[in-house]
Amino acid sequence: MFTGIVEELGEIVAIEHLGDASRFQVRGPLVTEGAKHGDSIAVNGVCLTVVDIIEDAEGTRFSADVMAETLNRSGLGALDIGSRVNLERPMALGGRLGGHIVQGHVDGTGAIVDRKLSEHWEIVKISLPAELSRYVVEKGSITVDGISLTVVDAGSDYFTVSLIPTTLALTTLGVKQAGDPVNLEVDVLAKYVERLLGRDNGTQDKEATS
């Protein structure tokens, strides 16, 4: 489990295409400290499994295999060598939940629509797939490229977030422009509530007609 608090900006340093998958090499000195084969690291909000830790004169990086399903359903397929990525290690047991509960399971992708600069923050409008709009509410939580953010305004096909200078400086949202894709993960609690209410309604309907 993650919290959506980005620990560092990493960089894609190599991509090996393997037919129905790709192997990424990602530079991230902080998140690779103490990491080993089989550990999880979130890359732009996608939970990936560490294959190898590589150390050389250029620094420390890790490799991770990304299957075609993940490449197609997330923004990882659009990454190239040199792309900057948000990195986060799983939350340690007993650690502080600084953002919100993030699984690292991308629900869909959106795109930056526009950016409006204010004196002390920036408002970013992001497109929203129709099937995810019911999970996004004003003042609720959403994960954008692995960043835990609070929704300012929620429409049927978009939402907005307000970004402080720290978020702009330390994450990919500081440089992404209109048209750039972003990974979206909605609040898992909303999905569980919907599922439970659906089951309750189904049970009641069945009992009413029996």
Side-chain angles (χ1 to χ4, degrees):
M1 186 183 77
F2 304 91
T3 71
I5 303 300
V6 173
E7 294 187 88
E8 72 174 320
L9 265 174
E11 181 183 0
I12 303 296
V13 296
I15 301 175
E16 181 182 1
H17 299 291
L18 305 171
D20 62 348
S22 292
R23 177 166 292 184
F24 285 60
Q25 288 189 20
V26 186
R27 181 177 292 116
L30 177 61
V31 298
T32 53
E33 184 178 349
K36 60 185 184 301
H37 173 79
D39 285 350
S40 296
I41 295 176
V43 178
N44 277 0
V46 182
C47 179
L48 298 181
T49 301
V50 174
V51 176
D52 291 306
I53 299 294
I54 305 148
E55 296 185 19
D56 56 24
E58 297 182 355
T60 306
R61 60 191 187 275
F62 69 94
S63 65
D65 291 332
V66 186
M67 59 184 178
E69 173 77 3
T70 303
L71 293 170
N72 293 334
R73 293 177 64 90
S74 76
L76 294 190
L79 296 177
D80 205 345
I81 295 174
S83 295
R84 304 303 301 273
V85 288
N86 300 318
L87 302 177
E88 182 192 358
R89 292 169 290 187
M91 186 180 74
L93 188 64
R96 290 186 174 90
L97 185 61
H100 71 283
I101 296 174
V102 176
Q103 295 180 299
H105 303 160
V106 171
D107 293 303
T109 58
I112 305 295
V113 176
D114 63 42
R115 312 177 66 115
K116 293 182 179 179
L117 184 64
S118 297
E119 184 179 359
H120 299 295
W121 63 84
E122 191 168 339
I123 299 292
V124 179
K125 184 177 181 180
I126 300 172
S127 65
L128 180 66
E131 65 272 18
L132 298 182
S133 63
R134 64 185 183 274
Y135 302 116
V136 181
V137 297
E138 183 179 333
K139 305 307 178 187
S141 296
I142 192 166
T143 308
V144 179
D145 268 358
I147 309 163
S148 174
L149 297 171
T150 300
V151 175
V152 174
D153 183 31
S156 60
D157 61 354
Y158 76 92
F159 66 94
T160 62
V161 291
S162 181
L163 306 180
I164 61 174
T166 298
T167 303
L168 293 169
L170 301 180
T171 74
T172 57
L173 288 185
V175 297
K176 287 203 169 185
Q177 299 300 316
D180 287 343
V182 291
N183 296 321
L184 303 176
E185 181 184 332
V186 299
D187 192 345
V188 67
L189 297 180
K191 292 190 287 185
Y192 278 126
V193 168
E194 179 186 60
R195 180 71 170 178
L196 289 169
L197 289 175
R199 284 187 173 183
D200 287 345
N201 290 338
T203 301
Q204 292 169 1
D205 292 343
K206 185 175 181 179
E207 289 176 350
T209 56
S210 61

